[in-house]
Amino acid sequence: MSAPDEPFTLPAVHALHLAEVVKSLGTPQNELFGPLGLDPEGLAVPGARIEVPAFAALVTRARKVTGNDAIGILLGLQMRASAHGYLGFAAMTASTLREALETATRFVPTRTNALGLSLHVGERTASLVIEERADFGEARDAVLFALAVGIWQMGDALTGRQLEGSADFAFPRPAYTEKFANVGPVLRFAQPATQLVFDASALELPLTMADPVSRQLVYSELERSLEELGGDQDLLARVRRLVGHAGGG
């Protein structure tokens, strides 16, 4: 859990990804970062974080200089698992989609304290719920679109097929989404929760880059990172972790 006075942050690398989207729309990086005093070199440092208000200001700036409000969707469409560090690598090398999503929900605190993920599985459908823990202000739609569309894109890439289902959002439909009707999942708005909904059978789909040896190595790194953050302190999670350790008793 985050300390009460700890600021909400996102991985700084996403600011660079946003700059790539803006550049593809004809605006150079310095025009995006300069007025906000952001340093591209500092953002590129592995593990660097950017506070939520600064990222929200960056989204607002990106919309202003490009005249394109769909920045979040465009950011999600170009997102790749490799952009998520150890967490992305662990998901890439998982054996099934279920394993990849369970890894994401468990270790998302190693990437951000502003968002959470939870996987819910029913008899026919499953859902990956996106939990908002920070106030993203006017950038809320962009952040949630980037994450939801990005996760769906990664699911397609890792399974080698087009997944079917819906992306639900707990806010009204923005006008700019009309041109993205075929981005992947069906987009639904004014829903009770922001979540990805799909057939539960998809959880057993094998991943194209499954590698149990590599996954175990990176999983151990994530375990250490999570423990350092103090994000794994409930009793059940601690017992599950210790049972898996050789000689854990």
Side-chain angles (χ1 to χ4, degrees):
M1 299 289 293
S2 301
D5 58 348
E6 182 180 348
F8 288 109
T9 62
L10 296 166
V13 69
H14 293 323
L16 297 177
H17 296 154
L18 182 60
E20 292 174 5
V21 171
V22 169
K23 183 179 179 180
S24 72
L25 296 174
T27 300
Q29 177 177 274
N30 64 334
E31 191 171 336
L32 176 65
F33 289 150
L36 298 177
L38 294 174
D39 174 25
E41 291 187 5
L43 295 172
V45 173
R49 302 288 186 97
I50 181 172
E51 293 190 14
V52 164
F55 190 80
L58 193 63
V59 169
T60 299
R61 175 72 183 165
R63 285 172 160 165
K64 179 179 179 180
V65 298
T66 63
N68 192 324
D69 285 337
I71 287 294
I73 295 179
L74 297 176
L75 181 58
L77 288 172
Q78 62 99 54
M79 195 172 289
R80 301 292 181 267
S82 57
H84 295 277
Y86 283 134
L87 177 54
F89 189 62
M92 288 166 60
T93 53
S95 59
T96 64
L97 184 60
R98 179 194 294 270
E99 193 173 85
L101 292 178
E102 288 178 344
T103 298
T105 60
R106 176 171 171 74
F107 294 112
V108 69
T110 66
R111 299 291 291 166
T112 178
N113 60 353
L115 295 160
L117 298 172
S118 58
L119 180 64
H120 303 267
V121 183
E123 291 186 8
R124 290 191 169 187
T125 62
S127 60
L128 183 69
V129 178
I130 298 174
E131 304 163 358
E132 298 174 63
R133 297 174 180 170
D135 181 1
F136 295 99
E138 294 182 356
R140 181 189 181 207
D141 60 318
V143 171
L144 295 179
F145 274 134
L147 182 58
V149 174
I151 291 175
W152 201 278
Q153 287 282 110
M154 289 185 282
D156 285 353
L158 296 180
T159 59
R161 64 175 68 192
Q162 274 195 313
L163 301 175
E164 296 183 359
S166 69
D168 297 353
F169 298 94
F171 52 79
R173 177 188 293 274
Y176 64 77
T177 61
E178 294 180 3
K179 65 182 71 173
F180 295 98
N182 300 313
V183 297
V186 175
L187 303 180
R188 304 192 304 185
F189 297 90
Q191 299 298 308
T194 297
Q195 60 184 349
L196 301 178
V197 183
F198 50 94
D199 194 295
S201 63
L203 291 170
E204 307 314 316
L205 290 173
L207 301 194
T208 59
M209 299 180 67
D211 184 336
V213 175
S214 295
R215 183 181 184 280
Q216 185 57 45
L217 290 173
V218 73
Y219 200 89
S220 296
E221 289 295 328
L222 287 168
E223 288 276 14
R224 279 192 284 272
S225 296
L226 190 62
E227 191 164 345
E228 288 173 1
L229 290 170
D232 189 25
Q233 295 307 306
D234 72 276
L235 180 60
L236 182 58
R238 288 170 59 196
V239 170
R240 283 174 172 165
R241 185 181 74 249
L242 292 172
V243 165
H245 284 186

